Amino acid sequence: MDRAEPYTSTWRAHLALGFQRRDAATLLARREHIGPLRVQKPLYPEGEAVCHAIVLHPPSGIAGGDELEIDVTVGQGAHALLTTPGAGKWYRSAGAWASQRLSFTVDAHGTLEWLPQETIVFDAARAAMDSTIDLDAEARFIGMDVLCLGRRASGEGFGNGALHLATRVRRAGQPIWLERGRLEGNSGLLGSPAGLAGFSVSGTLLAMAPHIEPGLLAACREIPALEAGARHGLTQLPDMLVARYLGHSSEAARHWFFALWQVLRPALIGRAAQRPRIWNT
């Protein structure tokens, strides 16, 4: 095994965003940052009702010892869409853990869409990703995550390191989704049918809204995946729809989730899906 180069410095970064509804517009009313996490000017490609924001991490990668925190609050009736300019990268570590904590709060009749580009976890990285989503009873949320273990195109797997995942969702203060994952480099779980079944790319989409129509699940299940041999499926729970993907192509995974979003967004939010421009660069 090649030894990781030691890191001589670490980043501790925090970004706090607050979106508020003013008349018919959603405004980025709060924007605070410490360290290398920020957003630039708010964007309105859909008109003033929906505020798009691109979350930037200028170092372009997360190294051992780095700690990132992103706190987002969407006020009553506001609508925010957040994405990233490119793939997130978690670099190999000499031993220190790196962490990212997401904390999202969406008030009554508010909507938050969290649509980052894929996350690449390098071999020998030690990464902890924690997400907490607090929703009002009448709030809406669509979030997706595509995770790549190793860099398959470069012949790199995930033979060393570790990845810890935790996701909690509460609606009106009551837990409705709790998921934890622990993936160790070269562990049997990576190849097990009960784990990732030998696939290097996995993805999850969570869509949450009051009163999801039963026919929506059937419509989403009609959407095929482009990648031969990939596995995908959907499940509907009370006020929630969950989509999963396993494959080897992050591009194919994102394509499938985007196709789902094109169906889910009009049905749950009442707006046609408009691809963020940054995805085309």
Side-chain angles (χ1 to χ4, degrees):
M1 179 184 76
D2 294 335
R3 297 187 63 184
E5 293 295 326
Y7 293 102
T8 57
S9 62
T10 60
W11 291 108
R12 288 172 173 79
H14 178 257
L15 177 67
L17 303 175
F19 297 88
Q20 297 294 330
R21 179 73 177 265
R22 304 278 176 83
D23 297 325
T26 294
L27 304 180
L28 179 54
R30 180 190 181 201
R31 175 170 48 183
E32 301 174 1
H33 76 269
I34 299 173
L37 267 178
R38 62 197 65 193
V39 296
Q40 294 179 332
K41 67 176 183 179
L43 305 172
Y44 294 91
E46 303 180 66
E48 63 182 5
V50 184
C51 182
H52 289 223
I54 300 171
V55 178
L56 304 175
H57 181 231
S60 77
I62 302 171
D66 288 356
E67 298 176 7
L68 276 62
E69 298 182 356
I70 301 175
D71 296 321
V72 179
T73 300
V74 178
Q76 184 172 349
H79 185 170
L81 186 154
L82 275 63
T83 187
T84 58
K89 301 179 181 68
W90 295 68
Y91 296 136
R92 61 186 305 170
S93 171
W97 282 83
S99 66
Q100 175 181 275
R101 183 185 63 80
L102 306 178
S103 180
F104 299 153
T105 301
V106 187
D107 293 340
H109 304 288
T111 300
L112 174 61
E113 297 174 88
W114 170 245
L115 307 174
Q117 300 197 53
E118 67 268 26
T119 297
I120 303 171
V121 181
F122 286 35
D123 186 36
R126 296 174 67 83
M129 306 178 193
D130 185 281
S131 302
T132 299
I133 303 156
D134 280 296
L135 305 174
D136 181 87
E138 298 298 322
R140 291 168 171 80
F141 174 80
I142 299 177
M144 73 175 188
D145 179 53
V146 174
L147 181 67
C148 310
L149 290 181
R151 293 171 292 172
R152 183 178 174 84
S154 302
E156 177 187 284
F158 193 64
N160 302 282
L163 172 62
H164 293 179
L165 302 165
T167 301
R168 294 170 294 275
V169 183
R170 295 184 288 257
R171 182 177 284 282
Q174 298 299 313
I176 60 172
W177 182 261
L178 175 60
E179 183 172 31
R180 294 182 181 275
R182 294 173 64 93
L183 298 172
E184 307 292 330
N186 207 33
S187 73
L189 192 61
L190 299 180
S192 169
L196 298 186
F199 291 104
S200 58
V201 172
S202 60
T204 299
L205 182 147
L206 299 177
M208 299 166 183
H211 320 303
I212 297 177
E213 295 295 330
L216 187 58
L217 177 63
C220 289
R221 283 178 170 168
E222 293 296 320
I223 299 172
L226 296 181
E227 181 183 4
R231 302 179 186 178
H232 55 89
L234 297 103
T235 302
Q236 186 167 344
L237 302 170
D239 298 337
M240 176 168 57
L241 189 147
V242 182
R244 302 283 203 184
Y245 188 96
L246 285 175
H248 287 301
S249 169
S250 61
E251 183 178 358
R254 287 178 55 204
H255 182 277
W256 186 66
F257 284 131
F258 178 70
L260 289 178
W261 183 56
Q262 287 180 302
V263 173
L264 292 169
R265 199 181 199 234
L268 303 182
I269 299 174
R271 286 186 169 272
Q274 181 169 324
R275 186 183 182 93
R277 294 175 184 172
I278 194 68
W279 291 3
N280 299 322
T281 60

